[in-house]
Structures are given as structure tokens and as C-alpha cells.
Amino acid sequence: MIPQNFAYSSPNSLEAALDQLADGSAKVLAGGMSLIPLMKLRLASPESLVDLRRVPGLKYIREENGVLHIGAMTTHYEVESSVLVRATCPLLAEAAASIGDVQVRNAGTIGGSVAHADPAADYPASLLALEASVTLASKAGERTLSLEDFLVDTMTTALEPGEIVREVTVGVERNDVGTAYAKMLQPASGFAIVGVAARIGTGFARIGVTGLASKAYRARNVEALLEGGADAAAAAAVIAEGIDANSDLHASADYRRHLATVYAARAIRQAISRAR
Amino acid sequence: MKIGGSYELALPPARAYTVLQDPSILARCMPGCDHLNRIGETAEGHVAYEMKMKMAISSVQGLFAGTVKLADPNEPTSFRLIVEGSGKVGFMKGEGVLTFVANGTGTDVRYEGEVNVGGVIAGVGQRLLDVTAKHIIKKFFGKVAAAIGEME
Amino acid sequence: MSTTIATTEKLVGKSIRRREDPRLITGTATYVDDLKLPGMHHACILRSPHAAAKIRSLDISAAQSHPGVVAVFTGPDVAGVGPVPCGASLPGLRVPHHAILATDRVYYVGHAVAVVVATDRYVAADAIDLIEVDYEPTAAVADPEKALEPGAPAVHPEWPDNVSFTYHQEGGEPDKAFAEAEVVVKQRITSQRLVPMPMETRGCVAEYHTAEKSLTLWSSTQIPHLLRTLVGQMLGLSENRVRVITPEVGGGFGCKLNVYAEEALAGFVAMKIGKPVKWIESRRENFLCTIHGRGHVDYYEIAARRDGTVLGLRLKLIQDLGAYQQLLTPAIPTLSVLMMPGLYKFRNISADIIGVFTNCVPTDAYRGAGRPEATHGVERMMDLLAAELNMDPAEIRLKNFIGNDEFPYATATGLSYDSGDYAAPLKKALDMVNYHALREDQRKAREQGRLMGIGISTYGEICAFGPSPATPAGGWESATVKIDPSGKVTVLTGASPHGQGEETTFAQIAADELGVSIDDVIVFHGDTAIVQYGIGTFGSRGTAVGGAALFFALKDLKAKIKKFGEMMLESDDITFSGGVCTCNKTGNTVSLAQIAGMSYRAMRLPVNEEPGMQATRFWEPPNFAFPFGAHIVVTEIDRETGHVEVSRYVAVDDCGNIINPLLVAGQVHGGVAQGLGQSLWEQAVYDDTGQLITGELMDYAVPKATSMPWIETGHTVTPSPVNPLGVKGVGEAGTIGCSPAVVNSVVDALSPLGVRHIDMPMTPEKVWKILQGERI
């Protein structure tokens, strides 16, 4: 439970951080809730870590022209407890509140979570339903991708060497939309065995799923059925169609597929009940 | 852990079979594989290669040294692939039968087998084992397809 | 002579907050890992990743030359250190030689292979990675039933059948009872392997004083004195030159009731390098190398009449021992046999234990140690019988309880139950849940298609270990009470509490008996150089045996105080009360401080009295004590997911007299948490190749505060006649009563579907599969 030797730096500007990351050899430390345990088990042994904790301008939540901007180093607790997020994007606050435990939420960050791309992480389901974008920064400049394009596969993202997640953006929630996130919690880790985020309005549906497949994804088949007027159960029933479901000690692929339909229906119903 | 699935390659079965037995292709396509050195035939008649592999998924990295064995050749329909490796993070053994089934002008490569892991990765990696194995297999076939694309 | 000891307001019986807590809560307690000695080195252990393998070769040269590494030791280096001891004995028991480091073979994942000693912990951990071991893996077996199959891999090649021992116990005429029974019900019941999981892992610091040839060993243990004796033997040191100190111990639950290879290894290293050395177990090591609990596969048969009268109980018990015998490994299942009759009048009993080697870490005592398994078995069987006979589970229990007029009750397993009113806690629990109304609620719930279950368990446990002839290392306990010249009181207890709160409860007892403020009493434990020999804390014995020893030491001391009082007051008619001796004739007084001062100054002494104010007692209990109780659990099952929600938990325990209700409640809460853990979440899973695949807290689900139901506690009080305090012990009660109540409740919820039994843990997927009609 002791990591290998590594170099550690804690730059105090974004420019310095990007400089230090430029050659792609260093790992970014953005809360460390996944990376540090891996290092302690020596499953990850990066030669150097660049800690973004002291980089100014990465920790903020602000609204501009109907868009919520969240700095990459904003902790889950800050999102969960933000009056602004709760008022303008309750689904995101609900997702943040469902992550791990208090200690994890006080240290883990939104940028760290999306960059790690754990297939059972809570955030991505909601962020996909919210059609979030991520802004990436490197010495070469910035680019913005939809989260859907950003998440490539199991713990694999579109991040290029030397690039970091700088910001996550979501739209301010539409007035006619109700939202909910429902998950079955893995009792040991607190990760989602299956988690479904739903945003439902009139003729509008967005569904994000985590835990079920190799990466979090948007269930467009469910969305289409809902937008076409199907009820929650009928729409939820198709959520796992064509999905190569994950399987582990805690839930077999069949059980996960079944849970996805159950939690999808629950999230959809709750979202509908919350829609005005 | 049982694994199984299929992948479509744009080659007729006989060619697909040869390609997947080609050590240079295997070395290129096994994620993180450095090289394959033929070490001869085993007592059971398996063609064996020595391999070194650097597996990396996100920040998780492991160096594995071991062997790749090709067994039970039944050209062009099937053979058995055995990959064994060990390193500081643990050890793994994957064994599976690859079956080649014509599908139009291409081939469905079906695989079925079992992966066993030990050491730290077995003790702490359960949650991600299945999904990681699938990821690696997908990556492998993706690289094979790309290699075939280059050859054609 | 009319000298009396008057009673004043008592602390015993009051909910006094734990005096231990301020230091724990403020982070100022000292654990082993907090110790820093001048020149201290650090040890890190290389462990086998294989469950079974031959060691072809081992290359330590790179590790040896790593900067900062002082020494690397392997199996042959420590060949002179004695084996890890097994303290239990059974006829024909096979005890493999348990060297402190593996030599030519490894037998389980985590088996210690080499130790690196370095100037700091990080260097030691790095150097571990530099050791090259060439293993030749061999076939392993992790499942005890598979290990018994012909042709199974042999864990120890010298014993190809993997059987360590068989043990038969019988009482009454079981064959006749079964032959004459009107109804016989059979069930296979498992009790899965569990990881004890103290918050503080194991750890030790060893310092060898070369000139004095003496070793000081700080260790996170429940048994400092036994550890001293046994580590001394292992290292070939004279026992009086070994001092064991237990600083704060962050939980044990039985897993620190042991002597481990690392404790001797640390001593060996300290002696070799001439510097203090620290070894702290990582959480990962704790999973792999500290004993596990449970590991039963039980085959039960119950014989009864159709009116519900039980006649006999048969058990075939397959105990997963793991690869070695730790201190009490083979003794644990024998406790299950002793307690298999539960609270019922089973006159005919037959039990067969097969102790089986597997390529897993050894099992040993874990909270309850054999009794949760027994209670789980008999309480499940009572429910199965009730279901078979279409009787109410409460009714069948009340029908078969041992009667109040039958104590002391000789069981068919050879025990003598001390005292009891077994119906009382069940009736109280039934009242607390309003049982008939609850059954009515259940009927309505079922009409609505809901799966609601009501589960009852009653339990009896053997506690207060125990009469010495029946315990491996002696079953007595010791206490010293010292009163300083200033009148302040120090208690030294041979029990070694590690979370049970005896610093509070023993101070309550001493304060009451001496009539002083609790603030004037300190309780000290866990240093063999200061505290007289003691046995330790386990088996719910701390208060029932250690407290009794304290009581008798206090009694001796009070007699001496009185003699000094009589001398100083020049009267033989005095009262000792409130910390003051008062002459009943003149009203003159002398305080305890004056008396104590006199005893040390010793200008005058009472006839036949020595100076000083100190008494030590070693108390041998005449019997075990047998607490009992009833738990009722209401569950509701989510039809869609299989998730079990515990909607109500009622625990009524009878642990005899209660010293401190707050601490008793805490013990019940903690015990129930661990019982719920086994019932619903926890399992140490080894795969077929012997890899522990729940090897971290990401996969091994310990109960969390957020997953606990509200626990309603109640008590009945039936004092034990075994000890002068009338206490029975409560440390394990919650765990023992819990799991059968939860399983009975879930089975009850699913009974409309024809479900008879579910093995633990009742995970959502398992329950969901049952709901899908699968046989589990």
C-alpha cells in the first residue's frame, strides 16, 4: 500500500501545469480518488504527478448566457451543495450527491471523474443526459468536445498526451423538464452497479446510463420511444438492447441488463413527476 | 472468467487464419506487446513464443512477461491461443479457441475461452476485470483489422 | 463486630460515557503505528501471489543491494524460529509445521516468503519489488467440499485427503430419536468466510536490548500475556525477558486473539539487526493474511413430533480451516457443536466435524467464533420445522424452550446452562413489535403483492470463557487494585480490552466498591511488565471473568482498608462508605487517603497486616455463563431488484446484570452491524484457483453507517450465578442473534413462492434469481 517513487509538482498556473504535462509522461492529479488508490496498490506507477490543486481558475461554478460552466477542479461536494447548480441544473447536483461518500465528494473533482472515465462512475450518466461538453486544454490551445465524443471506451477518453480537462459545461435546465438519477449502489465501493439519469419534458427525453456497458452512454432508443409517447416501462424495457453488459462479482450481465430497465423506469417516472 | 464474442475481419477464413497465426501480426496487435520470439515447440506440440507486454489502461499499467502459444491447429477453421504472463501486478492466463466462419467475403472470428488472473489484479481488480478484458480483445481485433487494411 | 459496608449511590447500572473516547475522538490515542523509536527500521513482507506453488528459486540480491536496505531474510534464515503455534488440541489433529516464512512451498495467496528490512518503509516496499521468485504453480483447492472430493489437489502433500481432523460428539440416543421421529427436516446451511476487518490492521514494533538480552514487543493484540509466552518460545527467549505492550488497539473481533508469524518475525529481525523494527500490515495484507472467520458448510437434520416437540438434532459440519492451524483454528467448530442445541430441549444430539485444509488463509475466531454458526443452524432448522408443521415460529420456540425451573440445565452436549428465562426476551420482543398486529400487516402486504417478512431468532451463547480445564490456555482472569498513598486508585486488569470499554466499566465497579469518585480511578492494561499475567479479552469474557477478578481484589482490599480504619479509629464498629471509614459510635472518620497514607507510611500496622494498599486476585470461574435473547427482524423485498430492506430491527438481550447500559447498547449495535454484514453483504470469495477476489474494500462490502437500520434494543435481566457480578457477557450477542433472524425474515417474505432456505449473503442478485424461479 505504498506507491513507487514519483516526482510531484503542484504548479500555480495553468501555463506551468500544461508545460509540465506537455511531453505526456506525467499524470494529472485532480483529486486522486481513483489514482491514489491505484498507486498505493502499485497498479499505477506514474513517474511524475502534476497536481492541479493549486492551479488558479480551475475551481468555479458560474452561469453565462444559459450555460453552466464548471471548472475541472470543482469538487463533487461543491457541485452538490451549489445553490446555483441546484437551481439551474438539479440533475447535476443529484448526481454529485450520489457519488461515493462525504470524504470522496470533498476531494474528488468533476474533471478528474470524467477524465478517468470509469465505466461505473455516477457523473457521466447525468452529464450525458445533460448533453455536457468538455473543454480540453494543452499547450497547443483548447478544444471543446461533447462528452459523448470524449468518452471513448473503458477508462479511455479523447484526451491526447499533454491535454487536461479544463471545464465541463451544461445548459441551464429547461423549464419544462423534470430530471432524476436512479442507481443501484454497489455496497462496497458505492459505484453504480447500474445508474440511469433521465431528463423528461414534453416531447423531449434524454437518458444517460452508467455501469451497464464498457462506457457510459446515451440510450437513444429509450429517448426515441419516450419522445414518441411511450410510457416509462415500455421505453425503459429497451434500454439494454444490443448492449454487451458488464459482469462482475456483484452483478452478472443478465442481472445488470434487468436492473437497467428497472432503474430506467424509476428515473423516468421520477423525472416525469418532477416536471412541471 | 469466461470470455466469448466475435469480430468481423475483411478477409476470407483461410487468410484470416494465417494472419492470426502470424507472430509479427500478433506482436503488433496485442496491446502493449513488445515482441514475440519463437522459442520452439512445447512437449504438447504447441508453437510457443516468448512475449513481453506492457498493458496500459488509463493510469493502470503492468509489465507482463510470458508466453504466447498456438495450439490445436485445424486450418482454416480453428486454433487455440494461449497467452500467459506474469509481472509485479500479478499474473494472467488466457486461453481460448478461435473459430473462423466465412461471412460473405469476410470472416467472423469467434472466440470462446477463459481468462484467469492472480495476484494484485485478481484481488482488487474484480470490478473492472470483465470490462477490461473485453476492451483489450476489442483493441486487439481493431489493430488486426487495421493491419489487414494496410496489407491489402 | 458490627462493622458494615454501607451502600451509597452506585455507578454500576448507569449509562456513563466511555472514558476512552476523548483520546480516540481527538486523535490523540497511540496505536502501534504511532510509535517512533530512535533508530527504528521498517519491515515489509513479500507474499505469494499463488495459492499453491513450489518455490524453485529466490533471488534477493537486487533487494539486498538496494540503497537503504539493511537486511533481507528468507525461509532458511528463520528456520531456527519456532513454528506459529496452534493452541488447540483434538484427538488425531494434523498440525502442519507452520514456519514463519515459507521455504520450498507456498500454501495460500499472501503466504509470507521474505522480509525486507530498510531504513524507511518506502524503501522497504520498493525493495520487495526487486525480489525475484521463480514459482512453479501447482493445483490449488479453495472450496472445502471440493477439497474432500477424491482426486482433489492436496493442500499438504503429506495428507492427500485434506482432512486435518474428524470429531464426533453425541448425547442421548440420536439414532433412536430419528427413528422414532414423526417428522424429520434436513437442510444444507452455509456460513460464508468473513474478513474480521478491524479498523486498525495488525502491526508490531520489536526492540531488542542486546545487553539485557530482552525483547520489547509492541503489538496490536487481544492477548498480550499469551503472546509473550508464545513469542518467547518461538524465539527461544526466556519469557521473563520478553515484554509485550499493547498500545491502543483499534478493534480485534477475534482476529487479534492469535499469535502470528509476523510477531515472531519482527522479534527475530530486531534481534538480528540490533535495531528496533516496525511492521505494519497493509489493508491488502489484512485481507490476505489475517485469519478469516466462519467458513462452514453444515448439513442439519432435525427430528420432531408432529406437535412440534423437538427430539433430536444431527449435524455434519465441514469446517474450512485454510492452509494452517492458527492459535484456535480447529477449536472453533467444536464451539458450534457445544451450542448446537440452542435454547431448546434437544436430548439427542449427534455431530460430526470434518476439518478440511484448503489453499486459503486460516480461519479462526471471529466475533462469536463458532456460536453464530451454531445459532444460525438451529434457528434456521426451527423455522424449517415450523414451516413443515405449519406452526408459528414463535410458538414452536416457546414450546421447546428449556424451562425456568430446569436450571442449571445439563445439555446433551455436556454443558451446564447457568440460568435463564428463555421465554422472557422472546415475549418482550414479540410485544415490542406487536407481533399479532405485525402478522396482520404482513397479511395485508401480501394481498398487495408486497414481499414482507418477519424473522425471529432466539439465541443462547456460551460466554465468559471459561473454566480453565475447558479452555486451551487457562480460563481465569486477574486483577490488581492499588491505592496510592494519596488515596487514588489504579486497577490493573489482565484482560486486555480493545474497544469494549473496560476502562469505564471497571472504573465504575471499583468506584462503587471503594466509594470514591470515578475520576479517582484509572484502569490500566496491556503491558506485561506492569500488569500481572492475564488471559485477555475474547469470548465475551472481559467483564464476566476479568470484572469478577476485579471484584474479588476489591473485596480483599476493602477488608484491609477496614482493618486500617479500625486501627486508626480505635474501634471495631466502623462503616466503610463513600471512601471514608466512620466510627459508628463516635462519628469520627478517616478518609481513604489517610488510610492509604498510613498503610505506606506504616508507622503503625493492624495485626497481621502488611504495609501498602494493594491486592491481586486470579479468579477461576466455576462455569461458563450463558447469555440469551431474541431478535426480530422485519424485511421488505423489492420485487424488481431483489434488494432486501430491513425495515425493523428489535434486539432483546439478556446478558445478566448490566454494568453500563450505554456500552451494552453499543455492543449490541456493533454486533448486529456485523451480523447484518454477514447476512446481506460480506463474503470472502476465493476463486477456483485460490485467489481472494474480494481482496479490497472496493469489493468486500462491510456494513456502513448509512446501510444500518434503526436498532430497537430491550433487555431482560437474569443474573448469572457463576460470578459475583451476575453478568453474562454481551460482546458477541448482537452478531449471534442477528443472522438467523434476518435470513428467517427473508425466507418468510419469500415463503409464498415456496422458498425454504437462502444462504448468506442474501445479495440482491441472489434474491432476484430466486424471484425469477431459479434454484440457488
Side-chain angles (χ1 to χ4, degrees):
Chain A
M1 302 295 265
I2 290 177
Q4 268 177 24
N5 259 326
F6 58 91
Y8 171 86
S9 79
S10 184
N12 52 19
S13 75
L14 183 59
E15 198 185 4
L18 295 176
D19 270 343
Q20 289 170 19
L21 290 163
D23 70 0
S25 65
K27 280 293 296 179
V28 176
L29 185 62
M33 294 297 92
S34 294
L35 181 57
I36 299 294
L38 288 171
M39 289 173 66
K40 285 185 165 185
L41 292 161
R42 298 194 170 203
L43 286 171
S45 300
E47 281 175 15
S48 54
L49 288 187
V50 176
D51 191 347
L52 299 185
R53 176 161 55 168
R54 290 172 61 225
V55 174
L58 289 179
K59 198 184 245 246
Y60 54 84
I61 301 171
R62 59 172 175 261
E63 192 229 312
E64 281 164 21
N65 306 321
V67 176
L68 210 50
H69 297 258
I70 300 157
M73 290 298 286
T74 309
T75 64
H76 310 324
Y77 178 73
E78 286 160 346
V79 172
E80 165 191 1
S81 59
S82 158
V83 174
L84 181 61
V85 176
R86 288 182 177 205
T88 60
C89 191
L91 179 59
L92 194 59
E94 190 179 357
S98 75
I99 298 170
D101 52 36
V102 174
Q103 291 93 325
V104 167
R105 294 198 291 276
N106 273 326
T109 64
I110 192 166
S113 173
V114 299
H116 188 57
D118 190 296
D122 289 297
Y123 255 144
S126 295
L127 288 170
L128 286 167
L130 289 162
E131 298 173 89
S133 294
V134 285
T135 298
L136 314 179
S138 70
K139 278 197 80 175
E142 294 205 343
R143 58 182 180 134
T144 298
L145 273 71
S146 71
L147 181 70
E148 205 170 6
D149 290 336
F150 175 78
L151 297 174
V152 175
D153 200 350
T154 301
M155 299 202 288
T156 309
T157 66
L159 276 171
E160 295 291 338
E163 214 171 23
I164 66 160
V165 174
R166 191 182 64 69
E167 181 182 87
V168 175
T169 55
V170 296
V172 166
E173 193 56 270
R174 294 159 45 147
N175 280 331
D176 64 326
V177 164
T179 62
Y181 178 58
K183 83 189 241 197
M184 178 174 264
L185 176 114
Q186 199 252 66
S189 68
F191 272 100
I193 287 179
V194 162
V196 180
R199 292 173 65 220
I200 315 285
T202 314
F204 173 88
R206 293 290 180 272
I207 304 292
V209 190
T210 191
L212 182 62
S214 62
K215 64 168 179 167
Y217 68 97
R218 252 180 76 185
R220 287 199 163 72
N221 53 350
V222 180
E223 294 175 2
L225 283 173
L226 288 167
E227 288 178 354
D231 69 12
V238 304
I239 195 163
E241 271 179 15
I243 297 295
D244 185 4
N246 298 339
S247 170
D248 70 0
L249 180 80
H250 303 283
S252 67
D254 282 348
Y255 182 53
R256 267 199 169 77
R257 259 194 282 276
H258 166 75
L259 287 179
T261 65
V262 172
Y263 282 89
R266 289 179 184 182
I268 292 164
R269 285 194 195 104
Q270 192 164 22
I272 290 170
S273 77
R274 286 172 177 175
R276 272 177 291 201
Chain B
M1 182 180 63
K2 296 244 182 291
I3 53 163
S6 71
Y7 200 92
E8 211 178 304
L9 293 179
L11 283 177
R15 287 287 321 279
Y17 183 96
T18 323
V19 163
L20 282 172
Q21 291 234 332
D22 179 343
S24 70
I25 297 275
L26 290 177
R28 264 171 70 194
C29 300
M30 284 168 49
C33 186
D34 254 6
H35 64 285
L36 284 182
N37 285 340
R38 192 182 159 102
I39 49 176
E41 289 200 6
T42 65
E44 307 100 311
H46 303 166
V47 182
Y49 300 91
E50 181 190 58
M51 67 104 176
K52 276 210 168 67
M53 213 169 168
K54 187 180 179 182
M55 295 268 225
I57 294 175
S58 178
S59 35
V60 179
Q61 287 191 348
L63 266 172
F64 291 90
T67 55
V68 173
K69 289 180 204 157
L70 305 177
D72 305 344
N74 182 15
E75 198 170 352
T77 35
S78 70
F79 72 90
R80 201 147 56 91
L81 182 66
I82 305 159
V83 182
E84 281 176 276
S86 67
K88 289 295 170 198
V89 299
F91 52 88
M92 49 119 180
K93 181 177 181 179
E95 184 165 350
V97 175
L98 283 84
T99 315
F100 300 82
V101 181
N103 179 2
T105 55
T107 305
D108 270 347
V109 184
R110 295 183 190 156
Y111 60 93
E112 202 158 323
E114 198 162 335
V115 175
N116 282 309
V117 297
V120 183
I121 41 177
V124 307
Q126 283 302 314
R127 192 173 68 80
L128 294 170
L129 222 52
D130 154 80
V131 75
T132 306
K134 284 179 192 163
H135 176 76
I136 290 167
I137 292 165
K138 205 170 8 173
K139 228 166 152 178
F140 169 72
F141 280 114
K143 284 185 163 192
V144 172
I148 289 167
E150 282 169 31
M151 290 188 300
E152 296 302 294
Chain C
M1 200 90 108
S2 60
T3 299
T4 55
I5 295 172
T7 51
T8 50
E9 209 200 353
K10 294 285 188 187
L11 295 174
V12 166
K14 285 215 170 70
S15 283
I16 292 169
R17 289 194 182 192
R18 299 206 318 167
R19 307 164 90 210
E20 294 88 336
D21 288 343
R23 67 174 187 264
L24 299 172
I25 291 167
T26 57
T28 51
T30 302
Y31 295 86
V32 172
D33 201 16
D34 295 318
L35 296 172
K36 289 186 178 71
L37 303 184
M40 187 170 75
H41 283 56
H42 297 263
C44 196
I45 295 169
L46 176 70
R47 298 187 181 276
S48 169
H50 297 281
K54 289 177 188 159
I55 299 175
R56 284 200 205 101
S57 65
L58 219 151
D59 181 358
I60 58 171
S61 54
Q64 278 173 318
S65 54
H66 190 65
V69 170
V70 171
V72 180
F73 300 105
T74 63
D77 300 319
V78 297
V81 179
V84 179
C86 172
S89 57
L90 291 169
L93 180 70
R94 291 166 169 173
V95 181
H97 181 80
H98 188 172
I100 64 168
L101 289 175
T103 46
D104 53 341
R105 270 176 179 273
V106 289
Y107 294 90
Y108 63 97
V109 174
H111 200 158
V113 171
V115 60
V116 170
V117 189
T119 48
D120 90 31
R121 198 165 165 183
Y122 295 79
V123 170
D126 286 343
I128 284 292
D129 275 355
L130 300 173
I131 298 175
E132 295 292 338
V133 189
D134 185 8
Y135 293 105
E136 180 187 331
T138 56
V141 62
D143 177 304
E145 287 194 289
K146 286 185 184 158
L148 289 174
E149 288 171 6
V155 176
H156 296 280
E158 60 271 40
W159 299 310
D161 60 1
N162 290 320
V163 173
S164 168
F165 67 93
T166 57
Y167 173 89
H168 178 76
Q169 189 172 339
E170 202 172 296
E173 296 176 292
D175 290 343
K176 185 161 170 277
F178 274 85
E180 292 173 358
E182 291 164 4
V183 55
V184 172
V185 179
K186 302 178 183 185
Q187 183 62 47
R188 175 183 188 269
I189 298 172
T190 63
S191 188
Q192 76 274 29
R193 262 185 184 255
L194 299 175
V195 182
M197 201 73 68
M199 280 180 63
E200 185 209 14
T201 58
R202 292 187 294 122
C204 47
V205 172
E207 181 177 33
Y208 188 64
H209 310 277
T210 313
E212 294 91 341
K213 294 189 175 59
S214 72
L215 179 77
T216 305
L217 181 68
W218 289 262
S219 184
S220 185
T221 182
Q222 297 173 226
I223 46 165
H225 283 95
L226 299 179
L227 180 64
R228 170 180 177 242
T229 301
L230 293 165
V231 162
Q233 284 172 12
M234 291 168 79
L235 293 171
L237 285 170
S238 158
E239 187 173 357
N240 58 357
R241 292 179 192 276
V242 180
R243 176 183 182 186
V244 171
I245 302 173
T246 60
E248 203 75 59
V249 174
F253 310 117
C255 78
K256 294 175 183 170
L257 160 57
N258 229 307
V259 175
Y260 285 97
E262 293 87 352
E263 288 167 322
L265 190 57
F268 169 84
V269 168
M271 291 165 75
K272 279 282 177 192
I273 68 170
K275 300 274 194 220
V277 65
K278 178 191 277 186
W279 170 75
I280 299 294
E281 183 186 54
S282 69
R283 181 60 64 190
R284 173 107 183 98
E285 288 176 298
N286 184 257
F287 270 95
L288 292 173
C289 317
T290 289
I291 62 100
H292 290 176
R294 320 281 190 254
H296 272 219
V297 181
D298 295 336
Y299 290 85
Y300 276 99
E301 292 177 50
I302 188 170
R305 288 201 205 102
R306 291 221 75 87
D307 69 356
T309 306
V310 298
L311 300 172
L313 194 61
R314 267 193 194 133
L315 167 64
K316 178 179 147 191
L317 189 171
I318 297 169
Q319 172 71 51
D320 176 357
L321 299 168
Y324 286 112
Q325 316 281 16
Q326 279 280 351
L327 192 62
L328 299 172
T329 301
I332 304 301
T334 65
L335 295 176
S336 305
V337 169
L338 287 178
M339 288 313 293
M340 67 185 272
L343 303 179
Y344 309 110
K345 287 189 267 191
F346 282 103
R347 298 312 311 156
N348 306 294
I349 292 277
S350 164
D352 285 285
I353 305 176
I354 308 172
V356 186
F357 290 121
T358 57
N359 289 106
C360 303
V361 73
T363 52
D364 203 321
Y366 168 57
R367 203 169 192 170
R371 291 103 88 210
E373 298 91 317
T375 302
H376 196 77
V378 69
E379 290 299 308
R380 283 266 53 239
M381 292 312 292
M382 291 304 280
D383 258 33
L384 282 160
L385 178 63
E388 179 73 23
L389 299 173
N390 204 16
M391 280 179 80
D392 183 274
E395 186 194 340
I396 201 164
R397 287 173 168 83
L398 289 166
K399 185 180 180 70
N400 286 291
F401 281 147
I402 294 158
N404 292 359
D405 55 352
E406 297 180 75
F407 293 97
Y409 180 85
T411 73
T413 55
L415 296 172
S416 173
Y417 287 176
D418 59 341
S419 62
D421 180 355
Y422 294 162
L426 178 56
K427 285 179 176 164
K428 184 163 184 176
L430 292 169
D431 281 348
M432 283 170 76
V433 298
N434 199 354
Y435 187 61
H436 292 290
L438 192 63
R439 284 284 177 206
E440 182 56 22
D441 290 348
Q442 183 185 38
R443 196 186 57 74
K444 287 180 190 153
R446 283 180 175 164
E447 278 174 13
Q448 295 162 12
R450 283 161 51 208
L451 299 170
M452 174 185 166
I454 303 165
I456 297 173
S457 93
T458 61
Y459 71 89
E461 51 167 333
I462 178 169
C463 285
F465 283 73
S468 292
T471 41
W476 48 269
E477 197 46 88
S478 68
T480 294
V481 184
K482 306 195 279 194
I483 303 178
D484 295 335
S486 58
K488 306 297 184 192
V489 181
T490 300
V491 173
L492 308 179
T493 174
S496 193
H498 47 280
Q500 292 80 3
E502 269 90 342
E503 288 175 40
T504 305
T505 51
F506 283 15
Q508 286 174 263
I509 295 168
D512 272 4
E513 294 299 321
L514 297 174
V516 299
S517 159
I518 193 167
D519 294 332
D520 288 342
V521 183
I522 65 162
V523 178
F524 197 85
H525 53 85
D527 183 340
T528 62
I530 296 173
V531 179
Q532 70 290 339
Y533 206 101
I535 301 296
T537 292
F538 53 87
S540 303
R541 72 189 303 278
T543 305
V545 190
L550 170 62
F551 178 87
F552 285 110
L554 287 163
K555 193 175 167 192
D556 286 359
L557 208 54
K558 283 192 295 184
K560 187 166 185 179
I561 289 165
K562 259 177 47 200
K563 286 200 176 160
F564 274 87
E566 286 165 0
M567 176 189 78
M568 292 167 75
L569 291 166
E570 296 174 337
S571 165
D572 60 4
D573 181 11
I574 71 162
T575 302
F576 176 54
S577 169
V580 173
C581 284
T582 305
C583 173
N584 294 333
K585 292 201 181 94
T586 65
N588 293 340
T589 62
V590 282
S591 70
L592 186 59
Q594 287 172 311
I595 290 169
M598 173 64 83
S599 77
Y600 288 97
R601 183 67 184 82
M603 295 286 283
R604 284 187 298 147
L605 292 171
V607 180
N608 292 330
E609 283 296 337
E610 295 172 352
M613 195 55 75
Q614 175 168 339
T616 297
R617 284 294 291 268
F618 289 68
W619 185 67
E620 169 68 26
N623 188 5
F624 301 96
F626 296 86
F628 55 94
H631 289 203
I632 298 183
V633 174
V634 183
T635 55
E636 180 107 19
I637 293 164
D638 183 335
R639 260 185 195 276
E640 288 187 308
T641 64
H643 175 80
V644 174
E645 181 74 30
V646 175
S647 51
R648 193 139 184 223
Y649 200 110
V650 170
V652 179
D653 296 278
D654 193 323
C655 54
N657 290 334
I658 292 175
I659 310 281
N660 184 329
L662 188 65
L663 270 64
V664 166
Q667 288 294 329
V668 171
H669 289 172
V672 167
Q674 284 175 309
L676 283 168
Q678 172 160 27
S679 305
L680 297 173
W681 306 296
E682 295 183 47
Q683 52 181 338
V685 182
Y686 282 90
D687 71 9
D688 289 343
T689 64
Q691 295 289 332
L692 179 65
I693 60 174
T694 50
E696 255 297 340
L697 287 164
M698 290 293 276
D699 283 308
Y700 186 91
V702 290
K704 296 182 174 141
T706 50
S707 47
M708 289 296 291
W710 185 255
I711 299 165
E712 300 163 59
T713 56
H715 294 280
T716 60
V717 176
T718 309
S720 173
V722 172
N723 62 69
L725 300 173
V727 299
K728 289 189 169 221
V730 75
E732 297 154 296
T735 312
I736 294 169
C738 178
S739 74
V742 181
V743 175
N744 286 345
S745 183
V746 172
V747 170
D748 184 49
L750 296 173
S751 60
L753 307 174
V755 173
R756 292 176 74 244
H757 178 72
I758 306 179
D759 274 324
M760 303 178 287
M762 299 179 293
T763 60
E765 181 165 15
K766 190 186 278 181
V767 175
W768 176 74
K769 282 183 172 165
I770 290 167
L771 288 166
Q772 303 310 299
E774 280 185 42
R775 288 184 64 88
I776 297 290

Coordinates of all heavy atoms in Angstrom, one line a residue, chain C residues 57 166 224 289 295 368 378 402 594 674 677 696 744:
Chain C
S57 N 13.2 -21.0 -7.0 CA 14.4 -20.2 -6.6 C 13.9 -18.9 -6.2 O 12.8 -18.4 -6.5 CB 15.4 -20.1 -7.8 OG 14.8 -19.3 -8.8
T166 N -11.2 -35.3 12.3 CA -12.6 -35.5 12.4 C -12.9 -35.6 13.8 O -12.1 -35.9 14.7 CB -13.1 -36.8 11.7 OG1 -12.3 -37.9 12.3 CG2 -12.8 -36.8 10.2
P224 N -1.9 -9.9 25.3 CA -0.5 -9.6 25.5 C 0.3 -10.7 26.2 O 1.4 -11.0 25.9 CB -0.5 -8.3 26.2 CG -1.9 -8.1 26.7 CD -2.8 -8.9 25.8
C289 N -3.9 -12.1 4.9 CA -3.0 -12.9 5.8 C -3.5 -12.9 7.3 O -3.0 -13.6 8.1 CB -1.6 -12.2 5.9 SG -1.1 -11.8 4.2
G295 N -16.8 -19.9 7.6 CA -16.3 -20.9 6.7 C -16.9 -22.3 7.0 O -16.1 -23.3 7.1
G368 N -18.0 -14.1 17.9 CA -19.0 -15.2 18.0 C -18.3 -16.6 17.9 O -18.7 -17.5 18.7
V378 N -29.4 -23.9 14.2 CA -30.5 -24.4 14.9 C -31.7 -23.5 14.7 O -32.9 -24.0 14.6 CB -30.2 -24.6 16.4 CG1 -30.0 -23.2 17.1 CG2 -31.3 -25.4 17.1
I402 N -36.1 -24.6 27.2 CA -35.7 -25.2 28.5 C -36.5 -24.3 29.5 O -36.5 -23.1 29.4 CB -34.2 -25.1 28.7 CG1 -33.5 -26.0 27.7 CG2 -33.9 -25.4 30.2 CD1 -32.1 -25.7 27.5
Q594 N -6.2 9.1 54.0 CA -5.5 8.9 55.2 C -5.1 7.5 55.5 O -4.0 7.2 56.0 CB -6.4 9.5 56.4 CG -6.5 11.0 56.4 CD -7.5 11.5 57.4 OE1 -8.7 10.9 57.4 NE2 -7.2 12.4 58.2
Q674 N -22.3 -6.3 12.4 CA -21.5 -7.4 11.8 C -22.4 -8.6 11.4 O -22.1 -9.2 10.4 CB -20.4 -7.8 12.8 CG -19.3 -6.7 12.7 CD -18.2 -7.0 13.7 OE1 -18.4 -7.2 14.9 NE2 -17.0 -7.0 13.3
G677 N -23.9 -7.6 8.3 CA -22.9 -7.7 7.2 C -22.8 -9.1 6.7 O -22.8 -9.3 5.5
E696 N -10.2 -6.3 -1.5 CA -10.1 -4.9 -1.1 C -11.5 -4.4 -0.7 O -12.5 -5.0 -1.0 CB -9.6 -4.1 -2.2 CG -8.1 -3.7 -2.1 CD -7.9 -2.7 -0.9 OE1 -8.8 -2.1 -0.4 OE2 -6.7 -2.7 -0.5
N744 N -34.3 -15.7 8.4 CA -35.6 -16.2 8.7 C -36.7 -15.2 8.1 O -37.7 -15.6 7.6 CB -35.9 -16.5 10.1 CG -35.2 -17.7 10.6 OD1 -34.8 -18.6 9.8 ND2 -35.1 -17.9 11.9

